[in-house]
Amino acid sequence: MRRVLTASETSLLVEEADLDASMRLHAALVADPLAGVVELVPAARTVLVRFDRTLVDAATLTRQLHAVEPVHGGPEEAGSVRIGVRYDGQDLDDVASLLGITAEQVAARHTAATWQVAFTGYAPGFGYLVGDDPIFDVPRRSSPRTRIPAGSVGLAGTFSGIYPRESPGGWQLIGRTDAAMWDLDRDPPALLVPGTTVHFEQLERESVTVEPSAVSSERSGPAAPAEHEHPFAVEVVRPGLQLVLQDLGRPGHAALGVSASGAADRRALRAANRAVGNAPDAAAFEIAGGGAVLRFTGAAVVAVTGAPAETTIERSDGPELLVEHGAATAVEHGDELWLGPLSTGLRTVLAVRGGLDLPPALGSLSSDTLAGLGPGDLGGRPLRPGDLVPLHGPAAAPYAVDPCPAPAEPLPAAGETVELRIVLGPREDWFTDAGVRTLLEQDWTITPRSDRVGVRLEGAVPLERAVTGELPSEGAVTGAIQVPPDGQPVLFLPDHPLTGGYPIIGAVIDRDLDLAGQLPPGVHIRFRTVASAAEIRGD
């Protein structure tokens, strides 16, 4: 029985009986697209349908989705690959215990089975594999890990999968491989595309050496920029807590398992670009937590917006210059921009007139920290000391500098309470009435275990589940409130996984997403519904 559920203001989740039915529905929606639909995310028994509210309303689209006739679906054959695996995963013994066999038998049956990629999601290069051995049906971990190494081979429900890069996740880990799941220089970039047949081969175990992380440099004062080939550039002297490049993202690539990513505070990005005369969607620097130092090669015009911080320009041959928040400020060759600590908010945006001179990845310069997708050779990683970002130069900006600085948006500090407006769904029925009341009536505190992927929340009373079983993986949107089995929610930010297997109880509305991206640890959140899921669908 088909159901159409509310996933957000601009997304509906169509639920079918099983994987085959969802694949047939997806095939029908691809063959004959509905007006206003901008993206489809197929999953285990659902299809997430994102739509443009200026072209179609949720009630009309709901009726149309109920009327879609499924077609013959399922992925076409896409060749086969063999993947070597060392079966030494952290959860191997637990999985063996759950299945009632030995760890050696888990490895033997995993390699003996024939697997096929049913769909992709979570992150670029992550394929959901279905196998022909019915023994493989294991629950996810009760609380997801914050870091899973690249190449980890896992199990969740009836699926197996391989993490393309280091990321959080809740799958049971049974082994690891050195095979590259995602490579933009490969065609297609994903090793595992829908329809690919996969055979695993057991390799001998070996020790793994972990290299120490790079350490940030100490303050050294203004210095002449390093000699290089770019007449205009920014050199990272100190990145602060996290320094990434962001524009308005890369929507429309769900078929590759790629989420949109993009600036955590879109208003701040647009304001900074407007101040220096760039196009509103031009890429800029996004700095979390303050404390960054950037050195300029060549003259530039900059603007700082978002979370307010005392910002100064240290000149090699002149007095220090204070940078007004939101105002265009001239920078000379060799100058250093110093961003002080933050007292409110979390992320500051620095735009440079003319923009960044880097090759885009799938049409965007955004750094997707979960997917490892970003411009040039950066691969989506945060910037480090010594990194050099080439600029087009101030003459390349298409518009005049805005003479009217944008006032700083009021942002919260740790200990303060903010309200975020949400719509419930798609899985509020997986929670008791008391659990839904707890979501809306209890204050939730942002924990330090938060990043651009998601904000981890903590409340005195966990959300009570009405359904305790496993939820097959399904599409997720920015702003989704996902609830692991421990009952402590995670609020998804722009670098969230494209699909996930924990139930989503609601989603923050679009107008409040920029505020959600500016909430530092220690802030308290109170959720408030603005419309019921049924009202949005016109039920």
Side-chain angles (χ1 to χ4, degrees):
M1 179 67 179
R2 181 177 300 170
R3 292 202 302 163
V4 180
L5 310 171
T6 300
S8 73
E9 291 177 297
T10 57
S11 301
L12 297 172
L13 189 73
V14 188
E15 182 182 65
E16 295 281 18
D18 52 30
L19 176 62
D20 179 66
S22 70
M23 293 297 101
R24 294 174 64 210
L25 171 65
H26 179 253
L29 293 172
V30 170
D32 189 12
L34 297 176
V37 172
V38 296
E39 194 163 43
L40 303 170
V41 183
R45 67 175 188 220
T46 60
V47 178
L48 180 72
V49 180
R50 290 186 55 248
F51 62 93
D52 184 339
R53 285 188 298 170
T54 66
L55 300 176
V56 66
D57 62 85
T60 299
L61 185 57
T62 296
R63 292 192 295 271
Q64 293 173 335
L65 289 168
H66 275 298
V68 172
E69 290 291 335
V71 300
H72 175 71
E76 298 181 359
E77 291 290 335
S80 63
V81 297
R82 291 189 174 274
I83 297 176
V85 177
R86 300 177 185 89
Y87 287 91
D88 55 2
Q90 300 174 62
D91 303 314
L92 181 60
D93 290 337
D94 291 339
V95 168
S97 178
L98 286 167
L99 300 181
I101 58 179
T102 66
E104 290 75 15
Q105 288 173 322
V106 171
R109 296 186 69 158
H110 194 255
T111 55
T114 297
W115 301 86
Q116 188 179 52
V117 182
F119 57 93
T120 58
Y122 182 72
F126 191 98
Y128 286 78
L129 311 178
V130 291
D132 56 5
D133 187 338
I135 195 173
F136 289 110
D137 189 351
V138 299
R140 290 172 175 82
R141 290 173 51 83
S142 60
S143 181
R145 291 186 172 94
T146 57
R147 291 180 182 274
I148 291 178
S152 294
V153 179
L155 299 168
T158 59
F159 294 101
S160 187
I162 303 170
Y163 285 82
R165 58 175 276 110
E166 183 181 281
S167 58
W171 288 39
Q172 305 275 9
L173 305 183
I174 61 171
R176 58 205 169 117
T177 180
D178 294 328
M181 296 294 106
W182 177 265
D183 184 353
L184 275 176
D185 294 328
R186 185 169 57 201
D187 185 19
L191 178 64
L192 304 182
V193 298
T196 303
T197 298
V198 179
H199 295 280
F200 293 104
E201 297 178 338
Q202 185 167 3
L203 303 178
E204 294 298 322
R205 299 186 184 188
E206 64 180 20
S207 61
V208 176
T209 302
V210 179
E211 297 295 335
S213 302
V215 180
S216 299
S217 61
E218 296 294 327
R219 175 171 179 167
S220 57
E227 292 295 328
H228 49 74
E229 60 186 38
H230 304 287
F232 302 99
V234 171
E235 180 186 355
V236 179
V237 178
R238 192 168 68 207
L241 181 64
Q242 185 183 68
L243 174 60
V244 292
L245 307 178
Q246 296 298 334
D247 53 25
L248 292 182
R250 51 178 68 83
H253 295 289
L256 294 175
V258 177
S259 61
S261 187
D265 186 342
R266 299 159 299 176
R267 286 177 298 190
L269 176 70
R270 293 188 181 103
N273 278 321
R274 184 170 59 248
V276 299
N278 290 341
D281 60 350
F285 296 88
E286 180 184 280
I287 307 114
V293 180
L294 303 175
R295 182 180 298 142
F296 286 80
T297 294
V301 178
V302 301
V304 174
T305 59
E310 182 175 295
T311 306
T312 59
I313 294 173
E314 294 200 2
R315 305 188 185 279
S316 56
D317 58 355
E320 180 180 276
L321 174 66
L322 186 65
V323 177
E324 180 184 356
H325 188 91
T329 304
V331 178
E332 300 298 332
H333 177 77
D335 287 355
E336 289 184 352
L337 183 142
W338 286 73
L339 194 72
L342 304 181
S343 57
T344 63
L346 180 61
R347 293 179 170 91
T348 300
V349 175
L350 170 71
V352 185
R353 181 169 173 80
L356 315 181
D357 186 11
L358 289 168
L362 298 180
S364 170
L365 296 185
S366 282
S367 302
D368 187 331
T369 59
L370 175 66
L373 187 59
D377 297 328
L378 296 176
R381 67 167 173 80
L383 296 174
R384 298 190 287 248
D387 280 339
L388 197 72
V389 179
L391 307 173
H392 287 294
Y399 308 110
V401 169
D402 187 345
C404 302
E409 294 279 348
L411 296 172
E416 297 180 358
T417 301
V418 301
E419 180 181 88
L420 294 179
R421 294 167 290 180
I422 68 170
V423 295
L424 292 175
R427 298 298 179 185
E428 77 274 21
D429 59 348
W430 276 54
F431 299 86
T432 64
D433 291 342
V436 175
R437 287 196 303 272
T438 299
L439 175 74
L440 301 175
E441 297 174 1
Q442 177 174 262
D443 284 356
W444 299 91
T445 303
I446 295 179
T447 73
R449 295 193 306 153
S450 301
D451 52 26
R452 281 183 48 88
V453 175
V455 173
R456 292 174 178 267
L457 306 178
E458 185 176 84
V461 179
L463 299 184
E464 184 179 65
R465 291 266 290 265
V467 180
T468 57
E470 281 286 306
L471 177 69
S473 291
E474 56 191 29
V477 300
T478 302
I481 305 168
Q482 189 185 66
V483 187
D486 63 5
Q488 302 292 345
V490 178
L491 170 59
F492 280 166
L493 290 186
D495 290 356
H496 68 86
L498 193 65
T499 57
Y502 298 123
I504 292 171
I505 193 172
V508 174
I509 67 171
D510 185 77
R511 291 187 300 277
D512 286 359
L513 288 179
D514 294 324
L515 175 58
Q518 286 285 11
L519 302 180
V523 164
H524 308 298
I525 293 176
R526 177 65 65 92
F527 293 115
R528 177 172 68 85
T529 56
V530 294
S532 72
E535 289 171 339
I536 291 174
R537 297 191 304 271
D539 294 355

